[in-house]
Amino acid sequence: MNSDMLIRITRYYRALNRLRAIGLEKVFAHNLSDAAGVSAAVVRKDFSLLSIHGQKRGGYEIVDLIEKLSAILGKGDPQNVIVVGCGRIGKALMHYSGFEPDGIRVVAGFDTDPVVYSDVSHPVPVYPLSRLEEVIEALGVRVAIITVPESSAADTAEKLIDAGIKGILNFSPITLKAKPASEGGSQCVIHNINIALELEQIFYQLQFPDTMK
Amino acid sequence: MNSDMLIRITRYYRALNRLRAIGLEKVFAHNLSDAAGVSAAVVRKDFSLLSIHGQKRGGYEIVDLIEKLSAILGKGDPQNVIVVGCGRIGKALMHYSGFEPDGIRVVAGFDTDPVVYSDVSHPVPVYPLSRLEEVIEALGVRVAIITVPESSAADTAEKLIDAGIKGILNFSPITLKAKPASEGGSQCVIHNINIALELEQIFYQLQFPDTMK
């Protein structure tokens, strides 16, 4: 499966959970095509590649589809994450309700500032960064979100990988890359969300609409 | 210019501003290649495509490069944005310092909750959503960030477009698409940042490392 197909499948999965939540039992390819931003033909093709077949009269049972996509996406295990850097964005993510429908849960935060980690009003426990390795091992967490300032992002990523983290979502404005195994790096999946860069691209596209492919 | 090249150019531009800030005057292709995550050969090729040439002894003057890339990226005009939805993520973005090096400025916030827009402690003025059109016109803003709950995201986008917004960065978990002109849509560039979806993809890649291209 390539990454475009994976994105579509996770979108179908999200949409299905929402449709079930509002009481629907059956879904058609064009319902899912709206959610994933593709044509109904692509939805049918994806399902056919995954050996998922509709009913004779058309349409799919939502519960059935959720179960099948869930197996494909490797759901079932809890999808626990930690947040490293509990400034405004980190705090917003600790409180974020948009993770729940996907079974993602923020289980702990980390910060270097005693004022922050001594504060007990956070929705999840916040620990000093020095306890990273111990807490990661105790909680069995494999994925971390980095929301530290730009100047400490690279250092934080290194600490996380040393402590056993295998996946990182980086919000700091520098682009983090996984070190290849040939350079002594241990395997880690890194995704970067660069908010300023996204805005830059929008401004650019407005300025020069004809130059974009 | 395709979008990959645009992303590289904005990365070069960011890196150059940071290098200048720490007092450097000259830069080499391999300095920029680190920042953009490409090889030095790609940097040289990009610059050559843009008719930017280095000095005889190698390297480029940073001030000179910034000026040239600035013109290419259409900088100069203030890059003002508004934040619609002043919950935790919206507030974090109003306070976000990562926009400054790129010349991006959040100039106003909007919310439907009187408690939120009557609060004067925000770093920028926050207005009731009903004043959207008036304020957008007065400030001459063209780009908006959507940080409202999922249930009102589509409606908010429509209001923004009706009020003259031409570019949207959407943080809500539903994927917003620009309506094509053939369906009566006015042109609007929409980028979606789906935090849960990024995490889902990381979990998937950890589960099935061999299935990703």
Side-chain angles (χ1 to χ4, degrees), chain B residues 81-104:
Chain B
V81 300
I82 54 172
V83 170
V84 184
C86 299
R88 287 177 189 275
I89 293 186
K91 275 189 198 124
L93 294 177
M94 289 198 285
H95 283 271
Y96 188 53
S97 61
F99 292 148
E100 278 169 35
D102 299 297
I104 294 167

Side-chain angles (χ1 to χ4, degrees), chain A residues 121-190:
Chain A
S121 71
H122 302 295
V124 297
V126 173
Y127 302 96
L129 197 63
S130 56
R131 294 186 58 193
L132 198 60
E133 199 157 348
E134 168 204 343
V135 178
I136 284 175
E137 202 185 319
L139 297 175
V141 182
R142 300 171 71 211
V143 175
I145 304 178
I146 293 184
T147 44
V148 301
E150 177 170 0
S151 55
S152 45
D155 188 47
T156 301
E158 211 166 295
K159 280 201 180 83
L160 285 168
I161 293 168
D162 287 347
I165 287 295
K166 299 292 179 202
I168 291 175
L169 181 58
N170 170 40
F171 271 91
S172 83
I174 66 159
T175 308
L176 297 177
K177 280 163 287 180
K179 218 188 246 177
S182 59
E183 293 174 23
S186 66
Q187 271 206 326
C188 184
V189 174
I190 301 181

Side-chain angles (χ1 to χ4, degrees), chain B residues 111-118 126 128-129:
Chain B
D111 207 282
T112 52
D113 184 349
V115 175
V116 175
Y117 61 72
S118 308
V126 172
L129 198 62

Side-chain angles (χ1 to χ4, degrees), chain A residues 4-205:
Chain A
D4 286 345
M5 181 162 170
L6 170 58
I7 291 174
R8 292 197 301 274
I9 305 276
T10 51
R11 285 192 176 144
Y12 303 153
Y13 184 78
R14 292 173 65 92
L16 287 165
N17 277 298
R18 282 167 170 78
L19 293 170
R20 182 172 61 173
I22 57 169
L24 288 192
E25 290 179 3
K26 217 169 149 180
V27 73
F28 292 86
H30 66 260
N31 302 131
L32 294 173
S33 80
D34 288 344
V38 295
S39 71
V42 170
V43 176
R44 281 187 215 102
K45 199 179 152 206
D46 283 342
F47 285 177
S48 149
L49 280 172
L50 298 167
S51 307
I52 295 174
H53 304 289
Q55 296 171 320
K56 270 180 197 161
R57 290 161 304 155
Y60 306 83
E61 291 290 336
I62 290 180
V63 172
D64 193 37
L65 262 187
I66 288 177
E67 196 178 300
K68 281 174 179 150
L69 295 189
S70 169
I72 290 160
L73 292 172
K75 302 274 181 180
D77 293 340
Q79 309 213 111
N80 292 341
V81 300
I82 55 173
V83 169
V84 184
C86 300
R88 287 176 189 276
I89 292 186
K91 276 190 197 124
L93 293 177
M94 289 199 285
H95 283 271
Y96 188 52
S97 61
F99 292 150
E100 279 169 33
D102 299 298
I104 295 167
R105 223 159 45 103
V106 177
V107 291
F110 291 88
D111 206 282
T112 51
D113 183 351
V115 176
V116 174
Y117 61 72
S118 308
D119 180 352
V120 292
S121 71
H122 302 295
V124 297
V126 173
Y127 302 96
L129 197 63
S130 56
R131 294 186 58 193
L132 198 60
E133 199 157 348
E134 168 204 343
V135 178
I136 284 175
E137 202 185 319
L139 297 175
V141 182
R142 300 171 71 211
V143 175
I145 304 178
I146 293 184
T147 44
V148 301
E150 177 170 0
S151 55
S152 45
D155 188 47
T156 301
E158 211 166 295
K159 280 201 180 83
L160 285 168
I161 293 168
D162 287 347
I165 287 295
K166 299 292 179 202
I168 291 175
L169 181 58
N170 170 40
F171 271 91
S172 83
I174 66 159
T175 308
L176 297 177
K177 280 163 287 180
K179 218 188 246 177
S182 59
E183 293 174 23
S186 66
Q187 271 206 326
C188 184
V189 174
I190 301 181
H191 285 217
N192 296 284
I193 291 185
N194 190 325
I195 308 169
L197 192 60
E198 294 285 341
L199 285 173
E200 290 258 16
Q201 286 178 51
I202 292 174
F203 278 108
Y204 182 85
Q205 286 172 266

Side-chain angles (χ1 to χ4, degrees), chain A residues 1 18 75 150 200 211, chain B residues 1 18 75 150 200 211:
Chain A
M1 188 182 324
R18 282 167 170 78
K75 302 274 181 180
E150 177 170 0
E200 290 258 16
T211 53
Chain B
M1 189 183 322
R18 282 168 170 77
K75 302 273 183 184
E150 178 170 0
E200 290 258 16
T211 53

